[in-house]
Amino acid sequence: MSMITLALSKGRIFDETVPLLAAAGIVVTEDPEKSRKLILSTNQPHVRVVLVRATDVPTYVQYGGADLGVAGKDSLIEHGGQGLFRPLDLQIAKCRVSVAVRSDFDYRGAVTQGSRLKVATKYTSIARDFFSAKGVHVDMIKLYGSMELAPLTGLADAIVDLVSTGNTLKANHLVEVEQIMDISSHLVVNQAALKLKQAPLKRIIDAFAGAIGEK
Ligand code: PRP
């Protein structure tokens, strides 16, 4: 029997995938928070979990480094989705992508006056599409983390970032001025693996589908 490799990222995606794996009879036997290991074994000798950065899950699955994975819609949009079969919206790790600014910044004025807006974000595709649809000219500054710092230091007027509870924005005196889209995590499967390892992958997809249907 061939090995099935599932790509997950640590944190909410991992934690909220655990109950779905249980529905497929799969139990991860190591705690990702307690070890530095990147390959975790499961109770099933032919199923393993690889831990990758959330933004790398689509890439691992696209090129077959993993047969399947759980990826946020944000990561999938930024990646482009090439080579991925996307059978299920798992309805987990829900949050939103929003625009946020310093509370003293006149965002409405800036977008209506047709001035250029300096936007810092990790999500350049989502931000570009959003502002171009509104007809707002932006100077895009690509960042890889701690986006909240950009408006506070004068690097940018606005950020486009994930918001869940809103606590991170609040702690940094930023206000959410527009919600761009709702985010949840999706199951993605490598298209070649889907043919070559059809039976075991279908078992996992069906178990996940059953588990989210029961919610
Ligand atoms: C996200 C996002 C914000 C935070 C928002 O970061 O970038 O910093 O969560 O959550 P809140 O509204 O509940 O405060 P995440 O924890 O996903 O990790 P990251 O910093 O690696 O992006």
Side-chain angles (χ1 to χ4, degrees):
M1 208 173 155
S2 51
M3 180 63 83
I4 298 294
T5 302
L6 168 69
L8 296 176
S9 52
K10 277 203 230 183
R12 275 185 80 188
I13 289 181
F14 184 93
D15 297 344
E16 296 182 27
T17 301
V18 164
L20 303 177
L21 286 170
I26 300 166
V27 180
V28 183
T29 47
E30 291 161 297
D31 181 350
E33 302 299 337
K34 290 199 179 120
S35 114
R36 305 285 296 173
K37 283 175 76 171
L38 299 175
I39 301 181
L40 306 180
S41 46
T42 73
N43 64 330
Q44 301 196 13
H46 299 286
V47 180
R48 64 180 184 175
V49 169
V50 292
L51 297 175
V52 303
R53 291 292 295 262
T55 47
D56 291 335
V57 169
T59 307
Y60 266 81
V61 177
Q62 173 186 8
Y63 294 110
D67 300 300
L68 73 176
V70 177
K73 187 178 164 189
D74 51 319
S75 307
L76 284 169
I77 293 175
E78 295 298 324
H79 168 268
Q82 312 88 315
L84 301 177
F85 173 58
R86 197 164 131 176
L88 291 173
D89 179 350
L90 299 173
Q91 299 288 343
I92 61 168
K94 287 187 178 180
C95 56
R96 56 191 183 270
V97 180
S98 294
V99 183
V101 299
R102 272 167 64 144
S103 50
D104 58 359
F105 179 75
D106 179 14
Y107 176 74
R108 298 285 148 212
V111 298
T112 50
Q113 283 157 20
S115 46
R116 293 186 79 87
L117 193 68
K118 271 197 284 175
V119 177
T121 188
K122 181 155 89 175
Y123 306 102
T124 50
S125 294
I126 293 172
R128 214 178 290 285
D129 287 354
F130 177 73
F131 287 111
S132 84
K134 288 168 75 76
V136 175
H137 295 285
V138 297
D139 292 318
M140 198 69 73
I141 301 169
K142 168 87 181 183
L143 291 178
Y144 293 88
S146 303
M147 261 87 82
E148 296 82 7
L149 210 45
L152 304 178
T153 54
L155 181 69
D157 303 315
I159 60 169
V160 168
D161 195 8
L162 298 181
V163 179
S164 176
T165 59
N167 290 340
T168 306
L169 291 181
K170 201 184 278 175
N172 292 289
H173 311 290
L174 300 177
V175 290
E176 190 176 4
V177 284
E178 290 208 74
Q179 299 192 0
I180 299 180
M181 65 174 72
D182 289 323
I183 298 294
S184 58
S185 288
H186 291 246
L187 185 63
V188 291
V189 185
N190 176 277
Q191 283 174 345
L194 194 60
K195 296 194 182 81
L196 295 167
K197 305 178 183 178
Q198 196 176 22
L201 288 176
K202 193 170 180 305
R203 259 197 302 279
I204 295 173
I205 297 168
D206 289 349
F208 276 31
I212 59 175
E214 286 160 19
K215 264 194 196 167

